[in-house]
Amino acid sequence: MEDPVIRLRGIRNQFGSQVVHDDLDLDVQRGEILGVVGGSGTGKSVLMKTIIGLQTPRAGKIEVLGHDLTGGDPAARAVVEDNWGVMFQDGALFSSLTVRENVEVPLKRVPGLAPEARRALADLKIAMVGLGPEAGGKYPSELSGGMRKRAGLARALALDPEIVFLDEPTAGLDPIGAAEFDRLIHGLSRALGLTVFLVTHDLDTLYAVCDRVAVLAERRVLVTGTIEEMARVDHPWVHDYFHGPRARAAQGGA
């Protein structure tokens, strides 16, 4: 097996006296969709923010695409940041910019890219996520929740990243909209060869798109594996999560 594209070792996250993660290890393999799940307070979003540099761990090592991001090398971080995209909950779009202008924001970091080319690339990304051409000129307040998420995904894909981080991508969507977004994520990941780090609580998403699942519990990654392997884990939370009525319903619809 080739080296993981994301490698975490000994991560400790602490807020005051509250320890969220302690000696946490995790590998994410190239081209996989990894679903990260856990109970309330286990630090799913904190873990994602730690990898992308929005949260500094008290201890541990973070390697992404072979670069050590805990060494404080700004050049290494700049290289890696150009190779990942992030979609936060509800898209986290700039409210004063149109969808097209939002998608153009990361493209402005590309040296020598003319405004016309930047606009054309933004329109291409908007189309890739299933939004019509009229969406580019709209502001976030004029969009539905599902459309805002798609626009946020378009911005995350602007620089053709190798890795995409998604934080609760289907939260707040109705079942039909969530299923459509699941299919979009799966299709884009396979077509573009993306590695996807997906924080979710949605069992339907886990069954529909994830190659593996990482379970956060007891301040660490308790276990990783396929959905089928999760069903055999002898741990109370894992058992209840993957054997409850919602899991049975998701499995039936997968």
Side-chain angles (χ1 to χ4, degrees):
M1 182 180 293
E2 63 180 297
D3 291 338
V5 293
I6 300 173
R7 185 175 184 268
L8 308 180
R9 291 294 182 270
I11 298 299
R12 180 182 178 89
N13 278 310
Q14 183 174 351
F15 302 94
S17 61
Q18 180 186 8
V19 178
V20 180
H21 303 133
D22 190 25
D23 201 23
L24 180 151
D25 296 343
L26 178 65
D27 289 342
V28 183
Q29 303 301 327
R30 185 177 301 277
E32 76 171 339
I33 302 177
L34 179 75
V36 179
V37 302
S40 178
T42 54
K44 301 182 291 295
S45 295
V46 170
L47 183 60
M48 188 189 90
K49 291 175 181 177
T50 300
I51 300 171
I52 64 176
L54 297 180
Q55 160 66 24
T56 302
R58 294 289 184 93
K61 187 173 184 179
I62 302 167
E63 292 182 2
V64 180
L65 297 171
H67 295 274
D68 181 1
L69 300 187
T70 47
D73 182 352
R77 176 166 290 278
V79 169
V80 173
E81 287 182 348
D82 283 342
N83 281 282
W84 74 40
V86 183
M87 192 197 93
F88 295 102
Q89 290 188 40
D90 201 38
L93 300 170
F94 297 109
S95 60
S96 61
L97 301 180
T98 65
V99 168
R100 182 181 298 108
E101 290 167 341
N102 266 279
V103 178
E104 285 187 59
V105 168
L107 291 167
K108 291 180 179 179
R109 304 210 308 264
V110 180
L113 188 63
E116 298 80 10
R118 194 168 64 225
R119 178 187 177 94
L121 284 170
D123 286 341
L124 174 62
K125 303 302 179 181
I126 291 167
M128 282 173 58
V129 300
L131 292 174
E134 72 284 351
K138 293 182 180 294
Y139 289 90
S141 61
E142 299 176 292
L143 304 177
S144 67
M147 292 176 71
R148 284 196 299 273
K149 288 177 183 288
R150 287 175 184 261
L153 182 57
R155 187 176 62 187
L157 296 173
L159 294 175
D160 296 326
E162 295 183 49
I163 305 170
V164 174
F165 295 89
L166 306 177
D167 190 7
E168 299 281 7
T170 58
L173 297 181
D174 63 78
I176 294 174
E180 290 175 347
F181 205 86
D182 286 341
R183 288 192 290 270
L184 175 64
I185 293 168
H186 188 267
L188 288 173
S189 72
R190 296 305 185 247
L192 303 176
L194 297 172
T195 301
V196 180
F197 184 99
L198 192 160
V199 173
T200 187
H201 68 277
D202 191 333
L203 278 156
D204 289 328
T205 296
L206 294 179
Y207 280 92
V209 307
C210 292
D211 299 301
R212 288 195 307 142
V213 178
V215 178
L216 295 186
E218 301 172 12
R219 300 177 180 175
R220 59 191 174 93
V221 175
L222 182 73
V223 63
T224 60
T226 64
I227 289 286
E228 291 75 17
E229 290 168 333
M230 292 299 107
R232 299 192 293 269
V233 174
D234 184 19
H235 182 277
W237 189 90
V238 179
H239 182 274
D240 289 348
Y241 190 77
F242 287 99
H243 288 271
R246 290 179 181 269
R248 290 193 292 272
Q251 186 174 17

